[in-house]
Amino acid sequence: MGIAERTRGGRPAERVPVVRIRGAETARGSDLVTGEEPLEVRLGGERVAVTMRTPVPGQDAELALGFLLAEAIVGPEQVERISECRSAEGDGGVADVLLRPGARPAAGWQRDFYATSSCGICGKQSIEAVRAFTGRVPDGPQVSSAMLCALPGALREGQLVFERTGGLHGAALFTPAGRLVAVREDVGRHNAVDKLVGRAAMDGLLPLHEHVLMVSGRVSFEIVQKALAAGCPIVAAVSAPSSLAVRLARESNMTLVGFLRADAFNVYAGAERVAA
């Protein structure tokens, strides 16, 4: 698969005027803020979803592909190419996923999705709905506690835009030995994961049975859902998981780690994969 068309999009960070108040002193200046624009995801020219995302040239295609894979609308082997362009109004982007001749998307996908940058994808209301198109991940691999504790620092080092704005979520893919494979950032945590999965699909890495997903925020149901759809057996986060995320991880043979720090963490599911 490839990028057939790419036009200049928005910017991941923008400088805006700001008034700084420090005690009794006031000063005018500027500050960098995270970029946020709508992206329309299309399949063969037909709109599938609209999501608010941080615009980075080349990553709209990753996000669109990752989204379609997580929703089980298409498989990576079905995709011929992905085009990126600006919307006709010029206030956002469009990513159109084109399938190979003869390939057909899953039936029943023609729903009106709308995903905000904060809440994730609406529509998958239960674990049963997710498990209708995903199975359990296989056993293994095993990872060390020391490797897990090193992940937050490695993720932060890879978040270049976050260092400039302080306003982005991050997601990173690692090997069981702790080698960084890829990092993606976005104003929406679910978008960052979609970009990462889309990149992995483009690189022929799916399923991610020998990888670890690290996210910078909390772990919601949608994050575990996306990891499961990509076949990733281990999900780690610096913050807390939700009850439904824990339940899905346990029922899907996944390992779920929360409150990950440089010297401590909690394992909510799949502790057998973590070696002391």
Side-chain angles (χ1 to χ4, degrees):
M1 68 187 73
I3 308 293
E5 176 186 2
R6 181 184 298 172
T7 58
R8 185 173 179 82
R11 293 171 291 178
E14 297 182 21
R15 188 165 292 279
V16 299
V18 64
V19 177
R20 293 187 173 89
I21 299 176
R22 304 291 186 269
E25 297 183 358
T26 300
R28 295 184 179 275
S30 64
D31 196 11
L32 281 172
V33 298
T34 301
E36 183 177 25
E37 288 186 354
L39 173 69
E40 182 175 323
V41 179
R42 295 178 183 173
L43 182 60
E46 186 172 354
R47 188 176 79 168
V48 180
V50 176
T51 185
M52 302 302 294
R53 88 329 185 183
T54 300
V56 179
Q59 292 184 11
D60 284 348
E62 297 174 350
L63 196 162
L65 179 58
F67 174 86
L68 295 178
L69 293 174
E71 290 295 320
I73 295 174
V74 302
E77 72 285 348
Q78 294 179 295
V79 177
E80 175 70 22
R81 58 192 175 95
I82 307 169
S83 64
E84 289 183 16
C85 60
R86 297 291 287 170
S87 67
E89 293 77 16
D91 61 349
V94 175
D96 195 359
V97 179
L98 305 175
L99 301 184
R100 298 182 186 278
R104 296 289 182 270
W109 65 267
Q110 292 89 345
R111 294 176 289 170
D112 187 20
F113 287 101
Y114 181 81
T116 71
S117 60
S118 59
C119 74
I121 299 164
C122 304
K124 291 291 186 291
Q125 298 297 328
S126 67
I127 288 178
E128 288 71 26
V130 174
R131 295 186 65 182
F133 65 85
T134 58
R136 291 163 56 89
V137 294
D139 294 336
Q142 192 173 63
V143 296
S144 70
S145 297
M147 188 282 290
L148 287 174
C149 288
L151 297 187
L155 172 59
R156 177 59 63 87
E157 288 180 3
Q159 288 190 257
L160 302 181
V161 180
F162 178 87
E163 288 298 321
R164 298 165 60 198
T165 67
L168 283 178
H169 291 287
L173 203 61
F174 294 89
T175 68
R179 180 179 64 84
L180 178 63
V181 177
V183 177
R184 289 295 180 267
E185 297 177 281
D186 200 271
V187 69
R189 60 174 58 87
H190 57 285
N191 287 342
V193 175
D194 278 339
K195 289 178 178 180
L196 203 61
V197 172
R199 182 71 262 163
M202 292 178 182
D203 293 340
L205 298 179
L206 297 185
L208 298 173
H209 290 164
E210 295 294 324
H211 292 81
V212 179
L213 172 65
M214 173 73 195
V215 295
S216 62
R218 62 183 176 85
V219 184
S220 64
F221 172 72
E222 288 88 0
I223 298 300
V224 177
Q225 168 195 339
K226 292 175 185 298
L228 179 59
C232 188
I234 304 174
V235 177
V238 299
S239 190
S242 70
S243 60
L244 199 57
V246 173
R247 180 184 164 194
L248 178 58
R250 289 177 176 175
E251 295 188 9
S252 303
N253 194 37
M254 298 175 69
T255 295
L256 181 58
V257 174
F259 293 107
L260 183 56
R261 301 291 186 269
D263 58 355
F265 55 87
N266 295 341
V267 183
Y268 294 87
E272 63 278 1
R273 286 194 181 91
V274 182

